[in-house]
Amino acid sequence: MNAESREAVFAELRKQGIKAIKVVAADGSKANGEIRGVRKRVVVLFVGCAVVLTGVAVFILTSRSSTVALPKNAAQPLPRQEIVGDRSRIGKPDELFVLKAERFLARFAEPGRSFDAPESEWPSKADFEAAVRNQITFTAAEFTERIDFKRMVSWLKVEYVNYIRGGGYVSGYIKDLIKRQQMEIGKREEHERHLQKLLVNVKSDHKKQREAYDYWLKANAQLQSMGIYQLTLPYALQGCQGSVGF
């Protein structure tokens, strides 16, 4: 029966000629005034204990996992090329490399990128020899962009060793690094300047748009073959489609 209280149930049953001895709540919470089930404060206590135990377990597991060092892998040499992905994930060379020569080589890891290499910061022969003996490593938790960057620095160290074995000097290798980087930067800037010339008054001229777009495709194909990061598609050419075969 649905009723507000046990007294209301007794009254309704008496109307029907039934003399009830005992009335029990359907949910088992009360029967003739006694408490059934678990008291509220006991439930709160159990919940509180569960929260505390969960926190302790998480703390222990976190502490244990933080003390376990991830295995390190050797950064195998990777030829210089554009870093694919988010370059902000690479981080600063000072954070990635311990040795002076490795940090210096990192300035030339990506083709065509701007750099700064004053002679006062050039590594010595001893610095390069220490870098050659050192193995660059990474862990599985690192971003792919960072791993590729480390691998390209490893490749530069191999290039240095071959250069010296071929009769070269440290200063000569550094100068060649600078010369190559400047050439790559100049090549990209040359394509950029020519593309900007083609974009003059191109908005209302479909023929000029096609010419500029085809040049953009050819320029990027050449830059890609050199490992240099490509030119961004200008807004004025976003509606074009390629017509150049490679």
Side-chain angles (χ1 to χ4, degrees), residues 7 18 21-22 30 50-51 59 76 103 108 112 115 140 159 163-164 175 183 190 202 209 236:
E7 290 74 18
I18 300 173
I21 299 174
K22 186 176 182 179
K30 288 186 178 182
V51 171
F59 174 77
Q76 298 299 328
R103 294 196 297 266
F108 306 92
F115 70 101
E159 182 185 61
Y163 186 93
I164 299 300
K175 291 177 181 178
M183 180 274 295
E190 177 185 343
V202 75
Q209 287 180 355

Side-chain angles (χ1 to χ4, degrees), residues 112 181-191 193:
Q181 200 77 12
Q182 290 175 338
M183 180 274 295
E184 295 164 347
I185 293 173
K187 178 60 67 176
R188 190 179 188 280
E189 290 178 346
E190 177 185 343
H191 285 307
R193 286 193 299 269

Side-chain angles (χ1 to χ4, degrees), residues 42-222:
V42 177
V43 174
V44 173
L45 179 61
F46 276 118
V47 173
C49 291
V51 171
V52 173
L53 290 175
T54 302
V56 172
V58 171
F59 174 77
I60 293 174
L61 291 175
T62 304
S63 300
R64 288 181 178 179
S65 62
S66 62
T67 57
V68 177
L70 293 174
K72 294 184 178 181
N73 305 290
Q76 298 299 328
L78 178 70
R80 298 169 65 248
Q81 56 190 269
E82 177 188 2
I83 292 291
V84 179
D86 186 357
R87 294 188 70 257
S88 64
R89 293 177 175 177
I90 298 175
K92 298 179 180 179
D94 292 348
E95 300 171 351
L96 300 180
F97 307 105
V98 178
L99 301 180
K100 179 179 180 179
E102 291 177 347
R103 294 196 297 266
F104 184 81
L105 290 174
R107 307 179 189 186
F108 306 92
E110 281 190 274
R113 294 288 179 183
S114 59
F115 70 101
D116 182 31
E119 190 170 354
S120 59
E121 298 180 4
W122 289 9
S124 64
K125 183 178 182 180
D127 292 328
F128 273 105
E129 290 177 349
V132 170
R133 292 191 300 269
N134 180 58
Q135 176 67 66
I136 300 175
T137 60
F138 67 90
T139 66
E142 295 185 59
F143 290 117
T144 302
E145 294 88 344
R146 179 177 294 207
I147 295 174
D148 287 346
F149 192 76
K150 287 183 175 182
R151 292 181 62 195
M152 287 190 285
V153 174
S154 294
W155 186 89
L156 285 170
K157 290 200 292 184
V158 173
E159 182 185 61
Y160 164 80
V161 171
N162 293 332
Y163 186 93
I164 299 300
R165 286 177 179 175
Y169 296 94
V170 172
S171 59
Y173 178 68
I174 294 177
K175 291 177 181 178
D176 284 348
L177 283 177
I178 295 174
K179 182 179 179 181
R180 179 173 61 189
Q181 200 77 12
Q182 290 175 338
M183 180 274 295
E184 295 164 347
I185 293 173
K187 178 60 67 176
R188 190 179 188 280
E189 290 178 346
E190 177 185 343
H191 285 307
E192 181 70 37
R193 286 193 299 269
H194 187 72
L195 180 60
Q196 292 302 319
K197 290 180 180 179
L198 295 176
L199 291 175
V200 177
N201 300 324
V202 75
K203 186 175 181 180
S204 57
D205 192 327
H206 295 293
K207 184 178 180 180
K208 287 185 177 181
Q209 287 180 355
R210 175 62 59 191
E211 181 183 359
Y213 186 81
D214 289 348
Y215 179 81
W216 175 79
L217 288 175
K218 291 179 179 180
N220 275 344
Q222 185 182 61

